[in-house]
Amino acid sequence: MGRIFDRLIRVYRDGTVLVKLIYLNAAVFLIVRLMLVFLMLFNIKGQALLYYFEVPSNIYLLLTRPWTLLTYMFFHFDVWHLLFNMIWFYVFGRIFLSFFSEKQMGGLYLLGGWAGAVLYLLAYHVFPYFAGVNGFLLGASAAVLAIVVATAVYAPDYRLNLLFLGAIPLKYIALVTILIDLLSLTSGNGGGHIAHLGGALMGWWFVWAWHRGRDLTKRINRVIDMLSSLFKPRRKKMKVSWINREPVSRTESDMEYNARKNREMEEIDRILDKIKQSGYSALTAAEKKKLFDASKK
């Protein structure tokens, strides 16, 4: 048992932000469900505690629980809800990281969750269908759908092998997913499906802005970096003596460096054009490696 926990810790420590977010969602689910089981042994209905982590449709109640705009996208009550979201997240998240950075994934996850919450709140106060209904929003679906749609919009012809269906382009998978949400707007979980559409819109907007030279996740990632730096231990500055230190010679001039960078960018553009025309599967092993290495920079 100890080895299993050690391995899980190692996978989390060495994993990408995709792995860390999946771990976080799973850990929160296990903690909440174990806590509810423990309370039930004393005939205490602890399910009401979830209301303090869900986004309420009532604006006045939300003002007393603003933290729910963050916590709701990491909480799941039903195990199938968690499994479906995390499988979907893992499949599309791996493809997303072939084109974008880990920071962009983390930022888009948050932005997608917030976009879903905003559209959810607007729907409850605009459409008469929801009049007099007090709803609560819980789950990572909006955040995950932002990643799904962003990946499908950026690489629409990338094919994903589905059981019994074969290789299907991402654009069709995303379209069917959105269509299901649209058809479910008046179902028992209509508010949840509206939140899904909010996440999908954010995923589309992210890629639309990216093609125009803007990174929508840049500001939120600056805030995250600033907050994380507050918890990092400060290292004492060491005095460095420069006596008898020889200058380090550069291996290439500025002109050579710029020329090399331009060649690398042209090669990446060529690979991306190839993906648009023939799909990701048409790339050679060397081209996939170049694209993967470029996404890590």
Side-chain angles (χ1 to χ4, degrees), residues 174-192:
L175 285 173
V176 169
T177 303
I178 293 172
L179 180 61
I180 291 173
D181 283 319
L182 286 172
L183 294 174
S184 304
L185 291 182
T186 55
S187 66
N189 187 32

Side-chain angles (χ1 to χ4, degrees), residues 17 21 102-114 147 202 206 216-218 220-221 224:
V17 69
L21 285 172
E102 292 186 41
K103 279 191 172 184
Q104 287 170 317
M105 171 175 277
L108 184 56
Y109 183 97
L110 293 174
L111 291 176
W114 288 329
I147 302 296
M202 178 54 69
F206 168 77
L216 296 181
T217 66
K218 196 171 183 179
I220 183 62
N221 280 321
I224 293 173

Side-chain angles (χ1 to χ4, degrees), residues 25-257:
N25 277 274
V28 170
F29 173 79
L30 287 174
I31 292 171
V32 170
R33 291 309 295 265
L34 288 173
M35 180 184 66
L36 293 179
V37 169
F38 178 78
L39 292 174
M40 187 62 69
L41 293 174
F42 294 93
N43 290 326
I44 300 174
K45 294 183 179 180
Q47 194 169 341
L49 293 174
L50 289 176
Y51 293 150
Y52 293 94
F53 301 100
E54 299 173 310
V55 174
S57 60
N58 187 304
I59 293 294
Y60 298 104
L61 185 58
L62 177 62
L63 291 175
T64 65
R65 305 172 185 176
W67 62 84
T68 59
L69 291 171
L70 177 64
T71 58
Y72 97 92
M73 66 183 81
F74 297 98
F75 276 72
H76 297 81
F77 180 76
D78 184 74
V79 64
W80 296 111
H81 190 199
L82 172 72
L83 285 176
F84 182 82
N85 275 340
M86 293 304 102
I87 291 173
W88 216 229
F89 187 30
Y90 180 74
V91 171
F92 279 85
R94 292 183 65 185
I95 305 172
F96 181 92
L97 289 177
S98 299
F99 306 109
F100 301 101
S101 68
E102 292 186 41
K103 279 191 172 184
Q104 287 170 317
M105 171 175 277
L108 184 56
Y109 183 97
L110 293 174
L111 291 176
W114 288 329
V118 169
L119 195 61
Y120 167 82
L121 292 169
L122 285 175
Y124 267 81
H125 291 82
V126 170
F127 298 119
Y129 178 80
F130 297 104
V133 178
N134 290 320
F136 290 88
L137 183 63
L138 188 72
S141 299
V144 170
L145 204 57
I147 302 296
V148 170
V149 171
T151 307
V153 172
Y154 189 81
D157 296 319
Y158 184 104
R159 294 178 179 270
L160 190 64
N161 286 311
L162 299 179
L163 189 64
F164 305 125
L165 297 176
I168 307 296
L170 297 185
K171 58 186 176 183
Y172 297 128
I173 298 175
L175 285 173
V176 169
T177 303
I178 293 172
L179 180 61
I180 291 173
D181 283 319
L182 286 172
L183 294 174
S184 304
L185 291 182
T186 55
S187 66
N189 187 32
H193 289 287
I194 287 174
H196 298 177
L197 295 175
L201 285 173
M202 178 54 69
W204 172 83
W205 188 18
F206 168 77
V207 177
W208 181 87
W210 178 259
H211 284 312
R212 285 156 182 75
R214 292 175 54 207
D215 182 3
L216 296 181
T217 66
K218 196 171 183 179
R219 290 184 179 179
I220 183 62
N221 280 321
R222 282 179 182 172
V223 175
I224 293 173
D225 290 339
M226 181 183 68
L227 293 175
S228 62
S229 65
L230 297 176
F231 298 96
K232 288 183 179 179
R234 295 183 179 180
R235 296 181 179 179
K236 294 182 179 180
K237 294 183 178 180
M238 297 178 64
K239 294 182 178 180
V240 180
S241 175
W242 297 95
I243 300 175
N244 297 327
R245 187 182 180 93
E246 296 181 358
V248 179
S249 59
R250 293 185 61 180
T251 58
E252 57 184 355
S253 64
D254 291 339
M255 186 177 295
E256 291 172 337
Y257 173 82

